[in-house]
């Protein structure tokens, strides 16, 4: 008998699994199709994010930061100990356990919420039918009232550096090194390149980042990207801007990379090379030719502001559609789509999706940059507060960076919060909450913040917008 569901989701990443759970919670009969298997060949839910993305990268970032602190950061606290060593397989093993716990947690959530988990490859056919090809090769046709495509993304390959997952790796391979490479190359100074470069640099690798663009972290506020470049360089990352990789040759255990910069052609040799030049949507064998769903000119599934495709009842969310490739963007799109299927008028605020880079210091922002606002002709007031003036940051010996709050000069409404420094991601989220409710800088300034906290830096930056900071000299006078 043909299985029939109110909602069939293809892909169980943070877009798909969240959509499936929400749909079941709202009383819709729901199935979620996923094909990804772990090293033991078992179905692993959670997508890129849980298996080879957000979570494993943060696990390695946290481990490597602790090692770095143990080596270089404890003496100032009076903790003297010699001979700190790193057991890389143990670090990678810890990461694997975290991944296992979380992916099996999604399976438990599916059971608890009544989501039918189907293993195999899903393909949308005409008439909202879905073809499921199971691991044993058998094919089943499933009928759906609504289909949500959540097939995600995969790393982009570039011909000058073909990934072999041995010497030249992508982000997935870079999470699996069993020893610290002596000379590590990273192509691309984007979020993933900087995070993975930081992990291995903290463990002792000499890291060179080759970035084709002349501008560093173009999406970030200029003040933040300048500070980030300075700090990461000081930490030992050799970031070469305007360096476009044109070729590579693997010779046994090493790779010779050719790139061009302002001085012409250069070569450099690495023991490992990470290719981190971005990600592209996964649409391989996802759509039957007559299913009616179209792609945009960049190969993403074409959707409107509410993630509806060109076929009524078929939606697409997350990395496979336009917009930022972020787990929280994917999840919120999933919630929006399911609530709209149920008849709610849910909207998603695409203007307030926070961005985070988990280097140390962390880099995070929400809303617009000062340069973007000025380009739009918006007059702004800016308040900045350095962590060097924060008692809590001093206590933690973590005083690099600052908080920058940007407000409309006419209305005082906060239009951007940009942080580089300790717990930047958490501080920016406070800004995002305020901005969602239309906060002014004055509103933030009038709130009571606990002392001593890093959050006080946000308070002070908001006060500084109108010349009222207490713990630094104000640039703007009241
Ligand atoms: P995915 O997570 O890619 O999931 C799609 C799933 O669909 C996959 O499991 C795939 O196997 C399955 N699938 C595809 N096609 C089919 C099919 N036809 N049939 C069945 N199953 C199919 N984002 C953040 O927000 N914060 C971070 O800190 C962060 N760090 C990252 C670090 C790294 C190293 C990487 C690579 C990514 C990181 N990201 C981060 C990005 C984040 O992982 C993605 O934005 C997010 O996973 C996208 O979710 P998704 O559900 O759209 O797709
Ligand atoms: P992101 O898209 O944020 O992951 O960043 C990827 C980065 O890789 C971008 O900043 C690109 O400019 C950079 N990039 C892409 N191709 C090359 C190349 N051949 N050599 C050096 N950098 C590259």
């Amino acid at each position: 008998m043909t299985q029939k569901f109110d909602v069939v989701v293809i892909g169980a990443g943070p877009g798909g699994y969240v959509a499936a759970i929400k749909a079941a919670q709202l009383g819709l009969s729901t199935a979620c199709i996923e094909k990804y298997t772990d090293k033991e060949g078992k179905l692993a839910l959670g997508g890129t994010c849980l298996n080879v993305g957000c979570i494993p990268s943060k696990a390695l970032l946290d481990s490597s930061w602790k090692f770095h602190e143990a080596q270089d950061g404890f003496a100032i606290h009076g903790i003297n100990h010699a001979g700190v060593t790193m057991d890389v397989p143990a670090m990678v093993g810890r990461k694997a356990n975290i991944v296992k716990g979380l992916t099996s947690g999604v399976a438990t959530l599916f059971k608890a919420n009544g989501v039918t988990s189907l293993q195999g490859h899903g393909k949308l056919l005409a008439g909202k039918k879905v073809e499921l090809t199971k691991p044993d090769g058998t094919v089943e046709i499933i009928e759906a009232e609504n289909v949500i495509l959540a097939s995600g993304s995969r790393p982009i390959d570039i011909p000058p550096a073909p990934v072999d997952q041995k010497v030249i790796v992508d982000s997935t391979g870079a999470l699996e090194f069993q020893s610290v490479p002596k000379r590590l190359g990273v192509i691309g100074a984007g979020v993933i390149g900087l995070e993975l470069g930081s992990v291995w640099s903290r463990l002792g690798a000499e890291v060179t980042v080759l970035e084709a663009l002349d501008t560093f972290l173009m999406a970030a506020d200029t003040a933040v990207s300048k500070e980030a470049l300075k700090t990461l360089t000081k930490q030992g990352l050799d970031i070469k801007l305007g360096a476009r990789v044109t070729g590579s040759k693997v010779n046994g255990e090493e790779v010779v990379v050719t790139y061009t910069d302002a001085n012409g052609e250069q070569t450099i040799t690495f023991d490992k090379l990470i290719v981190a030049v971005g990600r592209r949507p996964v649409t391989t064998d996802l759509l039957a030719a007559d299913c009616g769903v179209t792609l945009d000119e960049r190969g993403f599934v074409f959707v409107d502001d509410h993630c509806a495709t060109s076929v009524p009842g078929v939606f697409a969310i997350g990395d496979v559609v336009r917009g930022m490739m972020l787990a929280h963007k994917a999840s919120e799109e999933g919630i929006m789509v399911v609530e709209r299927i149920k008849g709610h008028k849910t909207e998603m605020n695409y203007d307030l999706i926070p961005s985070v880079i988990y280097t140390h210091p962390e880099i995070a922002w929400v809303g617009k940059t000062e340069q973007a606002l000025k380009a739009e002709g918006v007059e702004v007031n800016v308040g900045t507060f350095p962590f060097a003036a924060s008692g809590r940051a001093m206590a933690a010996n973590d005083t690099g960076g600052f908080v920058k709050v940007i407000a409309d000069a006419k209305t005082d409404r906060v239009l951007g919060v940009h942080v580089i420094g300790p717990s930047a991601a958490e501080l920016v989220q406070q800004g995002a909450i305020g901005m969602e409710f239309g906060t002014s800088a004055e509103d933030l300034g009038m709130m009571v913040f606990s002392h001593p906290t890093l959050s006080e830096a946000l308070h002070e930056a908001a006060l500084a917008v109108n010349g009222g900071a207490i713990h630094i000299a104000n640039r703007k006078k009241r």
Side-chain angles (χ1 to χ4, degrees):
M1 206 181 71
T2 312
Q3 294 198 74
K4 196 169 175 181
F5 296 91
D6 293 328
V7 177
V8 172
V9 184
I10 301 181
Y17 86 72
V18 169
I21 290 172
K22 187 74 194 175
Q25 284 174 351
L26 294 181
L28 299 164
S29 62
T30 305
C32 184
I33 301 176
E34 174 59 64
K35 62 180 172 186
Y36 186 83
T37 51
D38 61 18
K39 282 186 197 147
E40 289 148 20
K42 291 204 184 103
L43 175 67
L45 306 174
T48 304
C49 170
L50 297 196
N51 289 288
V52 291
C54 321
I55 299 298
S57 58
K58 265 79 266 178
L60 297 191
L61 279 158
D62 283 340
S63 295
S64 59
W65 183 251
K66 284 189 194 299
F67 175 70
H68 169 80
E69 281 277 270
Q71 265 202 327
D72 299 327
F74 282 4
I76 195 163
H77 296 278
I79 306 167
N80 296 310
H81 62 128
V84 181
T85 57
M86 188 73 211
D87 179 344
V88 175
M91 174 185 78
V92 174
R94 184 191 86 98
K95 173 217 69 173
N97 286 337
I98 296 165
V99 167
K100 208 170 189 171
L102 285 168
T103 55
S104 58
V106 176
T108 308
L109 289 173
F110 273 5
K111 275 201 194 97
N113 285 282
V115 174
T116 303
S117 180
L118 300 171
Q119 182 173 359
H121 178 95
K123 180 175 183 175
L124 178 71
L125 308 179
K128 289 188 288 183
K129 288 192 170 63
V130 175
E131 179 188 88
L132 168 68
T133 307
K134 298 180 192 169
D136 63 6
T138 56
V139 173
E140 189 185 329
I141 305 297
I142 299 164
E143 288 183 25
E145 282 298 319
N146 301 277
V147 178
I148 303 176
L149 306 169
S151 52
S153 64
R154 68 161 76 102
I156 293 178
D157 306 309
I158 49 168
V163 167
D164 59 15
Q165 296 297 25
K166 290 189 188 98
V167 179
I168 306 182
V169 301
D170 58 17
S171 57
T172 302
L175 297 167
E176 293 295 330
F177 293 159
Q178 295 298 313
S179 61
V180 181
K182 186 168 177 323
R183 298 161 300 175
L184 174 66
V186 179
I187 311 180
V191 179
I192 293 175
L194 292 176
E195 290 187 357
L196 294 174
S198 293
V199 166
W200 297 105
S201 158
R202 292 167 188 173
L203 301 181
E206 289 161 22
V207 177
T208 306
V209 183
L210 302 168
E211 168 55 55
L213 298 176
D214 293 318
T215 319
F216 184 62
L217 288 182
M218 222 161 60
D221 191 272
T222 309
V224 169
S225 53
K226 265 192 201 150
E227 177 76 11
L229 184 58
K230 198 175 78 190
T231 314
L232 294 175
T233 303
K234 212 166 132 200
Q235 284 173 10
L237 293 188
D238 181 4
I239 301 169
K240 295 189 190 301
L241 299 176
R244 174 170 293 280
V245 173
T246 52
S248 64
K249 187 157 179 16
V250 176
N251 292 326
E253 302 275 286
E254 58 181 34
V255 54
V256 181
V257 173
T258 314
Y259 64 94
T260 50
D261 65 12
N263 300 316
E265 192 170 276
Q266 317 285 342
T267 57
I268 185 165
T269 304
F270 301 116
D271 301 302
K272 297 271 186 205
L273 177 65
I274 304 174
V275 182
V277 295
R279 299 179 61 81
R280 63 187 171 86
V282 171
T283 53
T284 320
D285 207 24
L286 178 71
L287 306 168
D290 61 349
C291 75
V293 169
T294 52
L295 303 183
D296 68 17
E297 65 286 353
R298 294 170 59 219
F300 291 88
V301 174
F302 178 78
V303 288
D304 67 11
D305 291 348
H306 299 122
C307 294
T309 68
S310 31
V311 177
V314 178
F315 306 85
I317 59 172
D319 283 9
V320 79
V321 302
R322 83 286 176 265
M324 290 197 266
M325 286 186 164
L326 291 170
H328 41 289
K329 176 257 191 189
S331 302
E332 286 310 310
E333 285 182 334
I335 302 274
M336 170 176 71
V337 161
V338 169
E339 290 188 345
R340 292 185 79 88
I341 288 172
K342 264 306 249 189
H344 303 302
K345 297 277 172 252
T346 311
E347 298 281 342
M348 181 172 155
N349 189 351
Y350 280 93
D351 292 336
L352 291 185
I353 299 175
S355 293
V356 185
I357 308 174
Y358 291 86
T359 45
H360 195 101
E362 270 180 18
I363 301 162
W365 65 91
V366 66
K368 294 194 176 172
T369 62
E370 186 175 351
Q371 55 276 17
L373 287 162
K374 285 192 171 154
E376 285 172 22
V378 181
E379 261 184 70
V380 295
N381 286 329
V382 173
T384 303
F385 189 81
F387 286 106
S390 150
R392 189 71 193 85
M394 276 184 229
N397 192 41
D398 203 356
T399 52
F402 54 83
V403 177
K404 174 170 174 176
V405 173
I406 308 172
D408 189 305
K410 292 200 184 83
T411 63
D412 197 39
R413 186 178 178 139
V414 175
L415 302 176
V417 174
H418 303 262
V419 182
I420 174 164
S423 300
E426 312 294 338
L427 298 193
V428 156
Q429 195 62 47
Q430 300 181 19
I433 293 168
M435 288 166 76
E436 191 69 56
F437 290 97
T439 190
S440 64
E442 186 186 29
D443 291 332
L444 282 180
M446 286 167 70
M447 287 180 65
V448 182
F449 280 68
S450 325
H451 176 75
T453 54
L454 296 169
S455 305
E456 287 172 307
L458 175 65
H459 189 214
E460 288 277 355
L463 285 167
V465 167
N466 293 305
I470 301 296
H471 292 92
I472 41 158
N474 289 286
R475 272 195 298 175
K476 182 182 158 136
K477 294 288 168 245
R478 270 170 182 277

